[in-house]
Short mmCIF file of all heavy atoms in Angstrom, two decimals:
data_model
loop_
_atom_site.label_atom_id
_atom_site.label_comp_id
_atom_site.label_asym_id
_atom_site.label_seq_id
_atom_site.Cartn_x
_atom_site.Cartn_y
_atom_site.Cartn_z
N SER M 14 4.02 1.60 6.07
CA SER M 14 5.29 2.26 5.78
C SER M 14 5.23 3.73 6.11
O SER M 14 6.14 4.30 6.72
CB SER M 14 5.66 2.08 4.30
OG SER M 14 5.88 0.72 4.00
N ASP M 15 4.14 4.39 5.71
CA ASP M 15 4.00 5.83 5.97
C ASP M 15 3.92 6.10 7.47
O ASP M 15 4.49 7.07 7.96
CB ASP M 15 2.75 6.37 5.27
CG ASP M 15 2.67 7.89 5.33
OD1 ASP M 15 3.53 8.53 4.69
OD2 ASP M 15 1.78 8.42 6.01
N PHE M 16 3.23 5.23 8.20
CA PHE M 16 3.13 5.39 9.66
C PHE M 16 4.52 5.32 10.30
O PHE M 16 4.86 6.12 11.17
CB PHE M 16 2.23 4.30 10.23
CG PHE M 16 2.10 4.35 11.73
CD1 PHE M 16 1.20 5.23 12.33
CD2 PHE M 16 2.88 3.55 12.54
CE1 PHE M 16 1.08 5.28 13.72
CE2 PHE M 16 2.77 3.60 13.92
CZ PHE M 16 1.86 4.47 14.51
N ILE M 17 5.33 4.36 9.86
CA ILE M 17 6.67 4.21 10.41
C ILE M 17 7.54 5.40 10.07
O ILE M 17 8.30 5.91 10.90
CB ILE M 17 7.31 2.90 9.90
CG1 ILE M 17 6.58 1.69 10.47
CG2 ILE M 17 8.80 2.83 10.26
CD1 ILE M 17 6.99 0.38 9.87
N LEU M 18 7.44 5.89 8.83
CA LEU M 18 8.26 7.03 8.42
C LEU M 18 7.87 8.28 9.21
O LEU M 18 8.74 9.08 9.58
CB LEU M 18 8.10 7.28 6.91
CG LEU M 18 8.63 6.16 6.00
CD1 LEU M 18 8.48 6.56 4.54
CD2 LEU M 18 10.07 5.81 6.31
N ARG M 19 6.57 8.47 9.48
CA ARG M 19 6.15 9.60 10.30
C ARG M 19 6.70 9.48 11.72
O ARG M 19 7.09 10.48 12.33
CB ARG M 19 4.61 9.69 10.33
CG ARG M 19 4.03 10.32 9.07
CD ARG M 19 2.54 10.61 9.21
NE ARG M 19 1.75 9.41 9.02
CZ ARG M 19 0.97 8.86 9.95
NH1 ARG M 19 0.90 9.41 11.14
NH2 ARG M 19 0.26 7.79 9.69
N LYS M 20 6.73 8.26 12.24
CA LYS M 20 7.25 8.04 13.59
C LYS M 20 8.75 8.28 13.64
O LYS M 20 9.28 8.84 14.61
CB LYS M 20 6.91 6.63 14.06
CG LYS M 20 7.20 6.40 15.54
CD LYS M 20 6.53 5.15 16.03
CE LYS M 20 6.79 4.95 17.51
NZ LYS M 20 6.27 6.04 18.35
N ILE M 21 9.46 7.88 12.58
CA ILE M 21 10.90 8.13 12.51
C ILE M 21 11.18 9.63 12.48
O ILE M 21 12.13 10.11 13.10
CB ILE M 21 11.50 7.44 11.27
CG1 ILE M 21 11.53 5.91 11.47
CG2 ILE M 21 12.91 7.95 10.97
CD1 ILE M 21 11.94 5.14 10.24
N GLU M 22 10.32 10.38 11.76
CA GLU M 22 10.47 11.83 11.70
C GLU M 22 10.39 12.47 13.09
O GLU M 22 11.14 13.39 13.40
CB GLU M 22 9.35 12.43 10.83
CG GLU M 22 9.67 12.53 9.36
CD GLU M 22 8.58 13.26 8.61
OE1 GLU M 22 7.38 13.00 8.85
OE2 GLU M 22 8.92 14.11 7.77
N LYS M 23 9.48 11.98 13.92
CA LYS M 23 9.18 12.65 15.18
C LYS M 23 9.94 12.07 16.38
O LYS M 23 10.06 12.74 17.41
CB LYS M 23 7.67 12.53 15.46
CG LYS M 23 6.80 13.21 14.41
CD LYS M 23 5.32 12.97 14.71
CE LYS M 23 4.44 13.61 13.66
NZ LYS M 23 2.99 13.35 13.92
N ASP M 24 10.43 10.84 16.28
CA ASP M 24 10.97 10.15 17.45
C ASP M 24 12.38 9.64 17.16
O ASP M 24 12.57 8.62 16.53
CB ASP M 24 10.04 8.98 17.81
CG ASP M 24 10.39 8.33 19.14
OD1 ASP M 24 11.54 8.49 19.59
OD2 ASP M 24 9.51 7.65 19.70
N ASP M 25 13.39 10.38 17.64
CA ASP M 25 14.78 10.00 17.40
C ASP M 25 15.13 8.67 18.07
O ASP M 25 15.93 7.90 17.54
CB ASP M 25 15.73 11.09 17.92
CG ASP M 25 15.73 12.32 17.02
OD1 ASP M 25 15.36 12.19 15.84
OD2 ASP M 25 16.10 13.41 17.51
N SER M 26 14.53 8.41 19.22
CA SER M 26 14.81 7.15 19.91
C SER M 26 14.32 5.97 19.07
O SER M 26 15.02 4.95 18.93
CB SER M 26 14.11 7.14 21.28
OG SER M 26 14.28 5.89 21.90
N PHE M 27 13.12 6.11 18.50
CA PHE M 27 12.59 5.06 17.63
C PHE M 27 13.48 4.89 16.40
O PHE M 27 13.79 3.78 15.98
CB PHE M 27 11.17 5.41 17.22
CG PHE M 27 10.52 4.40 16.30
CD1 PHE M 27 9.97 3.24 16.80
CD2 PHE M 27 10.46 4.62 14.93
CE1 PHE M 27 9.38 2.31 15.96
CE2 PHE M 27 9.87 3.70 14.08
CZ PHE M 27 9.33 2.54 14.60
N LYS M 28 13.89 6.02 15.80
CA LYS M 28 14.74 5.97 14.62
C LYS M 28 16.05 5.23 14.91
O LYS M 28 16.49 4.39 14.12
CB LYS M 28 15.05 7.38 14.10
CG LYS M 28 15.96 7.38 12.86
CD LYS M 28 16.07 8.75 12.23
CE LYS M 28 16.98 9.65 13.01
NZ LYS M 28 17.27 10.90 12.26
N ASN M 29 16.66 5.50 16.05
CA ASN M 29 17.92 4.84 16.41
C ASN M 29 17.74 3.34 16.60
O ASN M 29 18.62 2.54 16.25
CB ASN M 29 18.51 5.48 17.67
CG ASN M 29 19.00 6.90 17.42
OD1 ASN M 29 19.37 7.25 16.30
ND2 ASN M 29 19.00 7.72 18.46
N LYS M 30 16.58 2.95 17.15
CA LYS M 30 16.31 1.52 17.31
C LYS M 30 16.14 0.85 15.95
O LYS M 30 16.62 -0.27 15.74
CB LYS M 30 15.05 1.31 18.17
CG LYS M 30 15.27 1.58 19.64
CD LYS M 30 14.00 1.30 20.43
CE LYS M 30 14.20 1.56 21.91
NZ LYS M 30 12.95 1.32 22.68
N VAL M 31 15.45 1.54 15.04
CA VAL M 31 15.26 1.00 13.69
C VAL M 31 16.62 0.82 13.00
O VAL M 31 16.90 -0.23 12.40
CB VAL M 31 14.36 1.93 12.85
CG1 VAL M 31 14.37 1.51 11.38
CG2 VAL M 31 12.94 1.91 13.39
N ILE M 32 17.47 1.83 13.10
CA ILE M 32 18.80 1.75 12.49
C ILE M 32 19.59 0.59 13.08
O ILE M 32 20.22 -0.19 12.36
CB ILE M 32 19.55 3.08 12.67
CG1 ILE M 32 18.92 4.19 11.81
CG2 ILE M 32 21.03 2.93 12.31
CD1 ILE M 32 19.48 5.57 12.07
#
Side-chain angles (χ1 to χ4, degrees):
S14 295
D15 189 67
F16 178 82
I17 293 171
L18 296 183
R19 281 189 281 117
K20 190 165 182 61
I21 288 173
E22 271 186 316
K23 298 176 181 178
D24 189 340
D25 286 338
S26 175
F27 179 80
K28 180 171 76 170
N29 291 333
K30 285 182 180 179
V31 170
I32 290 172

